[in-house]
Amino acid sequence: MLTVETYQTIQQAAGALHGRSRYLGGGTLVMRAVNYADQDFDHLVRTRDPNLRAIQIEGARIRIGAGCTMADIIGAADTAFLAPVARAIGGPAIRNMATVGGNLFAPHPYGDLATALLALDGIARLTDGSEQPVEALLATRNQIRGLATSITVVRPMGDDFRFLKVSRVKPKGVSVMSIAVWTPRSGGRISGARVAYGAMGPTPLRAKAAERALEGATRDRSGIAAALAVATDGLSPADDSLASAWYRREVAPVHLRRVLLGEDDTR
Ligand SMILES: Cc1cc2nc3c(=O)[nH]c(=O)nc-3n(C[C@H](O)[C@H](O)[C@H](O)COP(=O)(O)OP(=O)(O)OC[C@H]3O[C@@H](n4cnc5c(N)ncnc54)[C@H](O)[C@@H]3O)c2cc1C
C-alpha cells in the first residue's frame, strides 16, 4: 500500500522522510515510478510550501525556489535567460509539473536545467539551511539527506549565457547531450568561463579542461579552438539507446563550437 503525506513546510516534509519514502516534487518521474509499481518505496511525502515557488533577485544573483516549475521559469521576466532551457524540457504537460529541484535529482539522460544551473555557478540551499554548490550536490546527490529548497545562480549579462540541447526527436526528445556555457568577458576576453554538459556522464558535469582553455580567449573561431580540442576531457558519456559514447564524444566539440559562437542555440 502507498501512503501519501502532505506537510505545510518543506522542512517538515524532509523530517518525515525515511528509507522507504520518496519526496514528491512535480512528480513527473516519481509518479511514473508509482505507475510502474516501483517496490523501492511505499511512502510519498509532499508539501504545499509557497516559499518553494518564489523567485527573488539577490544583487548579481537570483534565487529560484526548488518548487518552481519549468512553466514558472518561462513565465517570469526575471528568469528570461533560463526560459530557452525550460522550454527545451519535455512537452507542455511535463513543463507544467517538472520542478527545478526535481531536475537536480533526475537521472541520466535528464537534467537539462541542472546543466544550466551548473554552468551559472548554481548554489543550492538545503532544508537544514546549509548551502552547497550545485556541482557538489550533483556529485553526492544519492547520499544527500534533506531536500533542496532553492538555488541561486548568477544573472548573466547580454549573451554571456547560452544553451544548446541536442536530441534526436524535436522538439520534445530527451537529450543526446545538452551544453550550457557562461562566458563572462572583460576587455573582450573571456574571464571565468563555465562549460557544463548534460548526458555526458552519470550527472551533468563541468568540462574543466575546456573552461581553462577559454580563459583569456576571445569568443571567436580562433579563440575557442584550444577549448574545442579538449572539449570532452574529464567527461564519461554512456552508451545507451540514444547514442553511443563514441558518437557523443565525436560530436561534442562540434556542438560546443556552435553554442560558444551562437551558431545554433535554442533561443
Ligand atoms: C515524458 C517525459 C519527458 C521528459 N523530458 C525531459 C527533458 O527533456 N529534460 C529533462 O531534463 N528532464 C526531462 N524529464 C524528466 C523530468 O520531468 C524532469 O527532470 C523534472 O524536472 C523532474 O522534476 P519533478 O519535480 O517532476 O521530479 P519528481 O518526479 O517529483 O522527483 C524526481 C526525483 O527528485 C527528487 N526531488 C524532487 N524535488 C526535490 C527537492 N526539492 N529536493 C530533493 N529531491 C527532490 C524526488 O524525490 C525524486 O527522487 C522528462 C520526464 C518525462 C516523464
Side-chain angles (χ1 to χ4, degrees):
M1 193 179 73
L2 186 71
T3 54
V4 183
E5 290 176 349
T6 304
Y7 290 89
Q8 277 194 326
T9 69
I10 190 166
Q11 284 77 15
Q12 290 168 343
L17 289 169
H18 56 69
R20 302 266 311 152
S21 310
R22 288 286 179 283
Y23 175 71
L24 183 68
T28 56
L29 296 174
V30 170
M31 289 313 294
R32 187 167 72 177
V34 170
N35 291 337
Y36 282 114
D38 190 325
Q39 297 299 305
D40 285 348
F41 61 93
D42 54 19
H43 179 227
L44 290 181
V45 173
R46 59 195 284 268
T47 177
R48 291 204 181 91
D49 193 335
N51 298 321
L52 288 187
R53 299 286 285 266
I55 295 177
Q56 208 174 347
I57 290 179
E58 295 182 354
R61 297 179 71 90
I62 186 163
R63 182 171 298 281
I64 303 169
C68 287
T69 64
M70 300 305 144
D72 292 338
I73 298 279
I74 293 165
D78 289 337
T79 46
F81 60 97
L82 283 174
V85 188
R87 226 176 265 123
I89 292 177
I94 292 291
R95 291 196 286 273
N96 274 333
M97 294 171 65
T99 64
V100 172
N103 204 262
L104 286 171
F105 291 86
H108 169 87
Y110 301 135
D112 295 322
L113 190 82
T115 304
L117 301 178
L118 181 58
L120 288 168
D121 188 28
I123 297 174
R125 182 170 291 167
L126 304 179
T127 33
D128 65 2
S130 65
E131 300 212 316
Q132 240 190 35
V134 163
E135 184 177 16
L137 181 142
L138 289 168
T140 58
R141 65 183 176 183
N142 294 332
Q143 296 114 54
I144 281 180
R145 302 181 83 81
L147 299 166
T149 60
S150 65
I151 295 95
T152 68
V153 292
V154 292
R155 293 193 293 140
M157 312 265 284
D159 65 354
D160 284 354
F161 173 71
R162 288 183 176 145
F163 174 78
L164 171 69
K165 173 170 172 167
V166 182
S167 59
R168 292 195 184 280
V169 182
K170 294 190 192 271
K172 292 197 299 183
V174 290
S175 289
V176 168
M177 76 184 63
S178 53
I179 311 178
V181 297
W182 177 48
T183 51
R185 276 157 294 172
S186 167
R189 297 198 170 263
I190 296 171
S191 170
R194 301 267 297 219
V195 177
Y197 279 93
M200 290 291 280
T203 68
L205 292 171
R206 283 172 68 186
K208 292 188 179 171
E211 291 176 357
R212 282 192 295 274
L214 286 171
E215 193 59 32
T218 49
R219 208 176 61 180
D220 53 27
R221 265 179 185 265
S222 63
I224 67 168
L228 301 188
V230 295
T232 58
D233 283 19
L235 305 180
S236 52
D239 278 312
D240 58 26
S241 57
L242 295 165
S244 66
W246 175 85
Y247 175 81
R248 284 185 160 106
R249 282 191 184 282
E250 284 295 301
V251 300
V254 176
H255 292 301
L256 181 58
R257 187 198 75 222
R258 289 179 178 164
V259 70
L260 280 170
L261 298 182
E263 292 173 348
D264 183 12
D265 70 8
T266 39
R267 75 194 61 214

